[in-house]
């Protein structure tokens, strides 16, 4: 009997040791293989355009899957209400005002000479120095000149366009200039641009699967021109606006003689979602799903065809509809699945988060303005109360600050105070009942402006 007990105890010990060894081996695999990062950035998507954010007329199963398998944030913001400023905030990890980029490049005469200076402290440059392969597929919009381009900022591979908008079929800007590049070489590719961005992104994963990589997939969908996929030669036609210049020659508005439709927009969105699914499958086929942090977000609020519900206003304003965006993060084993978080976040937090996740150091002389979101989203720490700032200079100035549940918006000479934790639609102005808070937050805005403007002037 004693002998049988001894044998049983030995067997239990062997099983326990084996299980412990497997657990250690799994941990070793996770810790020895640094995580990949895939950042998917869409363009002009509405806050409520995805199924996981309440849309009923658009089918987005792949993005909704990210929400089920990861964390969905309800109070995430873009760095700005337009393209270039937000992208500058992402690449630098700092407020874009520190670099004087406060409106979409190309919107003002002379902008073709401007761009984001390469400092060596850009997100892709830091990751590259840490041994990561780096790729950008899609939209850049931070400078046309090569010295401002993706490769100068540390991307090993770039395929895409450098302006703010192109025709999805001809890949030309509003003035007719071809705008499609492999690194710094102009190329012509006969394909619907959303599909080609997906194809190139999958190819990058296929080729870089054996070592850590950072891949930014910057779809131009669902930005105008509102050209859905699968148009025939006869159906597709250029849409230059007479009397406009630059990117705005491709703009389509509700007052056009034959306006674009929500159905066109939805087809564009669903094709991008299909592409996201192909990228996720590529990760799975290479066994990288559990060792890859996947992030999805948007560069600003939605356009006139977007669904921004329940928010007010839209892109190019600092009302919630212009700056609050969907944000999804998936990292199996690190982040919980099917979690909704009210953590307030902003685009440049993604920079800090990616650097922290990859163990990449940031130079002491380049302090980040964002925070690492992983402790809060994983549950290792409580929700962090934030104070975030915005400024839009064109066409008229707007300023805003969110401090905890409160948001102060200055639109021209008017101040508006909202409890956006309860009133995301900004329907109830509380300035009259909280004038002390208006003064406090207005002073904080003034202090922030002085700080970032001083940094911007030092770079001129």
């Amino acid at each position: 009997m004693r002998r049988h007990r001894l044998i049983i105890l030995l067997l239990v010990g062997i099983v326990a040791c084996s299980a412990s060894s497997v657990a250690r081996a799994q941990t070793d695999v996770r810790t020895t293989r640094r995580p990949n990062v895939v950042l998917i950035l869409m363009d002009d998507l509405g806050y409520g355009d995805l199924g996981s954010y309440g849309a009923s007329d658009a089918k987005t199963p792949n993005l909704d899957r990210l929400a089920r398998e990861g964390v969905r944030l309800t109070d995430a913001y873009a760095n700005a209400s337009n393209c270039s400023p937000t992208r500058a905030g992402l690449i630098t990890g700092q407020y874009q005002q520190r670099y004087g980029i406060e409106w979409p490049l190309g919107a003002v005469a002379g902008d073709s000479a401007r761009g984001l200076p390469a400092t060596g402290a850009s997100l892709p440059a830091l990751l590259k120095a840490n041994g990561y392969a780096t790729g950008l597929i899609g939209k850049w919009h931070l400078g046309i000149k090569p010295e401002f381009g993706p490769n100068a900022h540390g991307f090993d591979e770039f395929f895409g366009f450098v302006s703010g908008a192109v025709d999805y079929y001809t890949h030309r800007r509003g003035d007719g200039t071809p705008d499609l590049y492999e690194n710094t070489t102009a190329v012509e590719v006969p394909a619907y641009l959303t599909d080609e961005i997906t194809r190139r992104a999958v190819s990058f994963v296929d080729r870089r699967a054996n070592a850590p990589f950072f891949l930014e997939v910057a779809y131009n969908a669902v930005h105008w021109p509102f050209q859905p996929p699968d148009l025939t030669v006869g159906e597709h036609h250029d849409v230059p606006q007479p009397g406009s210049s630059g990117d705005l020659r491709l703009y389509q508005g509700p007052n056009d003689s034959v306006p674009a439709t929500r159905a066109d927009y939805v087809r564009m969105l669903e094709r991008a979602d299909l592409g996201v699914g192909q990228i996720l499958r590529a990760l799975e086929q290479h066994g990288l799903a559990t060792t890859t942090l996947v992030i999805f977000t948007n560069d600003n609020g939605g356009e006139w065809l977007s669904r921004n519900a329940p928010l007010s206003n839209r892109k190019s304003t600092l009302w919630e509809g212009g700056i609050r965006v969907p944000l999804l993060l998936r990292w199996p084993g690190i982040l919980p699945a099917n979690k909704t978080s009210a953590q307030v976040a902003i685009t440049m937090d993604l920079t800090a988060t990616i650097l922290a996740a990859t163990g990449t150091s940031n130079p002491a002389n380049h302090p980040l303005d964002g925070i690492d979101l992983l402790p809060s989203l994983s549950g290792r720490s409580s929700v962090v109360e934030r104070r975030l700032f915005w400024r839009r200079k064109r066409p008229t100035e707007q300023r805003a600050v969110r401090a905890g549940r409160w948001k102060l918006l200055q639109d021209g000479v008017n101040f508006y105070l909202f409890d956006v934790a309860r009133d995301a639609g900004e329907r109830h102005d509380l300035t009259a009942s909280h004038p002390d808070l208006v003064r406090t937050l207005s002073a904080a805005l003034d202090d922030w402006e002085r700080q970032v403007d001083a940094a911007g002037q030092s770079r001129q």
Side-chain angles (χ1 to χ4, degrees):
M1 190 70 175
R2 290 178 181 173
R3 183 179 178 186
H4 288 166
R5 287 178 180 173
L6 180 60
I7 292 172
I8 290 171
L9 288 172
L10 286 172
L11 288 173
V12 169
I14 291 170
V15 170
C17 289
S18 298
S20 176
S21 299
V22 170
R24 282 198 303 272
Q26 290 174 339
T27 300
D28 290 343
V29 168
R30 186 178 296 282
T31 54
T32 57
R33 169 67 191 253
R34 291 182 294 170
N36 311 302
V37 179
V38 175
L39 170 62
I40 303 169
L41 183 66
M42 283 189 67
D43 200 347
D44 288 6
L45 183 73
Y47 177 82
D49 266 332
L50 306 181
S52 56
Y53 284 82
S56 59
D57 64 338
K59 293 180 173 57
T60 55
N62 297 295
L63 290 169
D64 296 341
R65 172 190 169 191
L66 282 181
R68 290 194 309 274
E69 297 178 352
V71 182
R72 180 181 72 92
L73 280 78
T74 59
D75 289 56
Y77 291 90
N79 258 57
S81 61
N82 292 96
C83 304
S84 299
T86 293
R87 294 164 198 271
L90 170 68
I91 293 298
T92 64
Q94 297 179 326
Y95 282 109
Q96 62 277 6
Q97 286 82 5
R98 297 183 186 277
Y99 300 86
I101 297 180
E102 297 196 58
W103 56 84
L105 295 179
V108 177
D111 269 0
S112 60
R114 301 182 63 236
L116 182 67
T119 63
S122 297
L123 173 62
L126 296 176
L127 291 168
K128 182 176 180 178
N130 193 28
Y132 273 72
T134 56
L136 168 62
I137 314 295
K139 180 174 177 174
W140 175 241
H141 204 188
L142 286 173
I144 292 175
K145 292 183 175 181
E147 60 263 36
F148 300 131
N151 299 110
H153 279 274
F155 282 108
D156 294 314
E157 298 183 25
F158 167 60
F159 171 83
F161 63 101
V162 296
S163 65
V166 293
D167 185 293
Y168 284 76
Y169 288 88
T170 68
H171 317 138
R172 293 175 179 267
R173 302 173 196 156
D175 63 3
T177 304
D179 190 4
L180 197 60
Y181 294 87
E182 286 183 0
N183 297 317
T184 57
T185 302
V187 296
E188 292 187 14
V189 180
Y192 184 67
L193 190 51
T194 300
D195 294 343
E196 188 64 16
I197 289 172
T198 297
R199 190 184 74 79
R200 300 274 180 151
V202 170
S203 172
F204 184 94
V205 173
D206 289 342
R207 290 182 288 104
R208 300 288 191 169
N210 294 326
F213 61 80
F214 166 64
L215 173 62
E216 179 185 345
V217 185
Y219 286 109
N220 56 320
V222 283
H223 194 289
W224 43 261
F226 301 115
Q227 298 169 319
D230 303 322
L231 297 181
T232 66
V233 175
E235 291 175 314
H236 169 254
H237 56 86
D238 295 333
V239 287
Q241 289 282 357
S244 298
S245 61
D247 295 340
L248 289 176
R249 294 198 72 217
L250 293 174
Y251 176 74
Q252 292 173 282
N255 60 335
D256 288 354
S257 58
V258 182
T261 66
R262 170 74 179 176
D264 294 333
Y265 178 97
V266 166
R267 287 172 62 194
M268 296 169 68
L269 169 57
E270 290 179 346
R271 185 58 67 93
D273 178 82
L274 183 66
V276 171
Q278 293 176 27
I279 295 167
L280 296 180
R281 279 193 294 277
L283 294 173
E284 291 162 359
Q285 288 167 359
H286 291 284
L288 301 177
T290 60
T291 56
T292 301
L293 169 60
V294 179
I295 304 172
F296 171 85
T297 192
N298 192 57
D299 64 344
N300 47 247
E303 263 278 9
W304 63 276
L305 286 174
S306 307
R307 179 182 181 273
N308 284 330
L311 311 177
S312 60
N313 223 307
R314 62 173 76 133
K315 172 186 174 180
S316 300
T317 78
L318 297 186
W319 294 79
E320 291 291 279
I323 53 176
R324 198 186 289 206
V325 294
L327 175 58
L328 308 169
L329 295 93
R330 187 191 77 173
W331 190 1
I334 303 297
L335 294 176
N338 204 27
K339 176 182 178 180
T340 298
S341 173
Q343 172 66 62
V344 176
I346 194 168
T347 308
M348 59 192 175
D349 291 341
L350 302 180
T351 315
T353 301
I354 292 168
L355 292 176
T358 58
T360 302
S361 300
N362 191 63
N365 63 353
H366 187 87
L368 300 175
D369 289 324
I371 65 169
D372 175 13
L373 296 172
L374 292 176
S376 170
L377 300 185
S378 65
R380 300 198 311 271
S381 71
S382 58
V383 170
V384 181
E385 187 166 301
R386 310 295 301 283
R387 181 172 284 192
L388 302 174
F389 301 91
W390 293 267
R391 182 175 68 189
R392 184 205 76 174
K393 279 198 167 183
R394 298 173 185 272
T396 58
E397 185 165 314
Q398 292 181 343
R399 305 190 307 165
V401 52
R402 174 154 180 181
R405 65 192 300 168
W406 298 101
K407 177 183 173 186
L408 180 70
L409 169 66
Q410 183 180 1
D411 191 350
V413 298
N414 295 314
F415 285 93
Y416 303 89
L417 181 69
F418 301 104
D419 178 352
V420 288
R422 295 181 178 178
D423 179 23
E426 296 173 306
R427 300 292 192 269
H428 305 288
D429 179 15
L430 302 175
T431 53
S433 54
H434 296 281
D436 54 338
L437 188 54
V438 172
R439 287 192 296 272
T440 298
L441 294 180
S442 177
L445 262 170
D446 293 339
D447 290 342
W448 169 78
E449 274 195 313
R450 282 191 287 270
Q451 179 188 18
V452 295
D453 286 346
Q457 289 168 6
S458 70
R459 288 189 168 94
Q460 292 179 358

